[in-house]
Amino acid sequence: MFDIGFWELLVISVIGLVVLGPERLPVAIRTVSDWIKGVKSFSRNVQNEISQELRIQELHADLKKAEQSKFEDISPEVAKSLKSLKEAAESVQHPYPSQSENTRVADTTSDENSSGETTDKKEVDR
């Protein structure tokens, strides 16, 4: 990215030491380092968002192809895209698992005991 060698870095650090002084130089280095981390994080987020948008457009185009062929004689790529679209639609319709999947209610005995009392239901985690 930058064509900076050892000697250029040495000259920059000496100039920084002379201009800022030994007390402020570590703080300045940390600040610049934080800025660089922020820029890298921002560029990574933008790259992820662009790749997601491209994937959505690709899925949309594959869906159009499948609709045009009336879901007959579709290529494996289009079939795979169609399957992933169906899975995404299912995850949107049911974003959270139902409570019955997370906790099971075990009815120990709903019949009356010999003493005539009923026992409570217990929640049992998987």
Side-chain angles (χ1 to χ4, degrees):
M1 189 164 135
F2 294 109
D3 191 24
I4 298 177
F6 173 75
W7 294 110
E8 288 88 359
L9 285 175
L10 185 66
V11 169
I12 291 171
S13 61
V14 168
I15 291 173
L17 182 62
V18 169
V19 171
L20 296 175
E23 293 91 23
R24 291 187 286 176
L25 185 62
V27 176
I29 291 173
R30 275 189 230 113
T31 304
V32 170
S33 148
D34 290 341
W35 287 348
I36 292 172
K37 287 178 187 176
V39 168
K40 284 183 179 180
S41 173
F42 176 74
S43 66
R44 195 176 316 116
N45 288 340
V46 168
Q47 185 178 12
N48 288 338
E49 287 179 17
I50 289 172
S51 70
Q52 287 176 355
E53 288 296 322
L54 290 174
R55 177 74 178 139
I56 289 170
Q57 286 181 354
E58 178 185 328
L59 289 174
H60 185 67
D62 288 345
L63 183 61
K64 287 233 185 242
K65 286 179 189 176
E67 285 176 351
Q68 289 172 354
S69 66
K70 297 180 182 169
F71 299 102
E72 298 172 355
D73 299 329
I74 55 177
S75 68
E77 303 163 339
V78 175
K80 184 179 176 185
S81 295
L82 190 60
K83 181 181 176 186
S84 66
L85 271 174
K86 286 179 181 177
E87 290 172 356
E90 281 294 318
S91 70
V92 169
Q93 289 176 356
H94 306 290
Y96 301 108
S98 64
Q99 185 176 5
S100 64
E101 293 176 5
N102 288 339
T103 51
R104 291 181 180 242
V105 177
D107 187 7
T108 55
T109 54
S110 59
D111 300 326
E112 292 185 14
N113 288 342
S114 61
S115 63
E117 298 177 8
T118 58
T119 58
D120 295 311
K121 294 180 180 180
K122 295 181 181 178
E123 289 187 16
V124 179
D125 288 333
R126 284 187 181 184

